[in-house]
Amino acid sequence: EAQVTQNPRYLITVTGKKLTVTCSQNMNHEYMSWYRQDPGLGLRQIYYSMNVEVTDKGDVPEGYKVSRKEKRNFPLILESPSPNQTSLYFCASSIQGANYGYTFGSGTRLTVV
Amino acid sequence: DAKTTQPNSMESNEEEPVHLPCNHSTISGTDYIHWYRQLPSQGPEYVIHGLTSNVNNRMASLAIAEDRKSSTLILHRATLRDAAVYYCILKGAGGTSYGKLTFGQGTILTVHP
């Protein structure tokens, strides 16, 4: 089944403890992206990647890092999480180009205390 | 990024058609019109997209105005499972908006039994 898989689904952590949220897709998509969703602010793009070793900042990149060493994986790294990064995170992938839809993962609910 | 305007909420009865409007008066010639929906506690789900011509798929139809400044998502027979937030988004084909989905607040669709 074509899908985007995120792990974990739920995570509670403490301020400053480094964490990684994994994202993997099995559709050979070039384009991958991370979004966060917050009440009243909607979905905002954090980082995106057009292909292996090509990443760029989205609208809210502060406090996050990403890497794209393989086409299928696009992990989101929080080096020193803070409470304002408590949010619902979604990974998405797409074939390159505007004429293709995105496939989203099921989400990771992160709480930083 | 070109913006879209949607009503905050709409209501429908089960088994009736639903027409969800979207205005995008600043759309550029290369922007595709995408629609996604998000069910409670799930990631956004691709519904349909188009450029100039009307489009149909198994989920919905997309009617695009001749001047492309507005579009309408049509659910032919609403079911309770169609209750969701519907997002109309312009996906850029070039420049800084390449491949990016910028989500607005969307339309909350309520379906009554």
Side-chain angles (χ1 to χ4, degrees):
Chain A
E1 180 189 352
Q3 59 186 357
V4 175
T5 303
Q6 293 178 231
N7 280 297
R9 288 294 308 276
Y10 301 91
L11 178 59
I12 301 174
T13 190
V14 296
T15 299
K17 186 177 181 182
K18 180 179 178 179
L19 67 91
T20 299
V21 183
T22 64
C23 174
S24 180
Q25 49 95 3
N26 61 0
M27 296 164 282
N28 202 36
H29 286 168
E30 300 91 357
Y31 193 97
M32 295 187 74
S33 182
W34 277 101
Y35 286 82
R36 63 178 286 176
Q37 185 171 30
D38 303 288
L41 297 175
L43 283 137
R44 295 176 292 169
Q45 190 182 53
I46 304 171
Y47 267 95
Y48 65 94
S49 168
M50 290 199 194
N51 216 323
V52 176
E53 302 292 1
V54 181
T55 64
D56 209 344
K57 297 176 182 178
D59 297 319
V60 288
E62 295 77 21
Y64 304 94
K65 284 176 60 177
V66 293
S67 69
R68 189 91 181 273
K69 294 185 171 57
E70 307 165 282
K71 200 171 189 179
R72 63 183 293 125
N73 295 323
F74 190 45
L76 179 69
I77 303 156
L78 284 72
E79 295 267 1
S80 182
S82 63
N84 65 13
Q85 292 178 297
T86 292
S87 186
L88 180 57
Y89 292 86
F90 291 104
C91 180
S93 74
S94 170
I95 296 174
Q96 199 78 279
N99 192 23
Y100 300 96
Y102 272 47
T103 301
F104 281 80
S106 300
T108 296
R109 185 167 292 282
L110 172 66
T111 302
V112 184
V113 298
Chain B
D1 299 332
K3 293 200 172 188
T4 62
T5 304
Q6 299 177 251
N8 289 333
S9 63
M10 291 185 67
E11 296 187 19
S12 173
N13 294 318
E14 205 174 5
E15 310 242 332
E16 291 184 355
V18 181
H19 291 232
L20 297 164
C22 181
N23 287 318
H24 28 80
S25 58
T26 60
I27 189 171
S28 75
T30 55
D31 285 340
Y32 280 77
I33 303 159
H34 283 243
W35 283 82
Y36 288 76
R37 72 181 186 181
Q38 188 173 20
L39 279 66
S41 303
Q42 295 189 27
E45 175 187 26
Y46 166 80
V47 177
I48 200 167
H49 77 280
L51 183 63
T52 55
S53 304
N54 295 344
V55 184
N56 301 296
N57 66 20
R58 63 175 179 81
M59 289 180 72
S61 295
L62 176 60
I64 301 173
E66 199 168 326
D67 63 5
R68 298 207 332 124
K69 294 185 177 181
S70 65
S71 61
T72 302
L73 179 71
I74 303 164
L75 307 179
H76 295 285
R77 288 180 66 205
T79 70
L80 296 178
R81 288 176 293 180
D82 291 323
V85 181
Y86 286 79
Y87 298 99
C88 168
I89 303 165
L90 302 182
K91 191 179 185 190
T96 57
S97 64
Y98 182 75
K100 182 178 178 180
L101 293 179
T102 300
F103 286 83
Q105 295 304 310
T107 297
I108 300 170
L109 176 65
T110 301
V111 180
H112 299 290

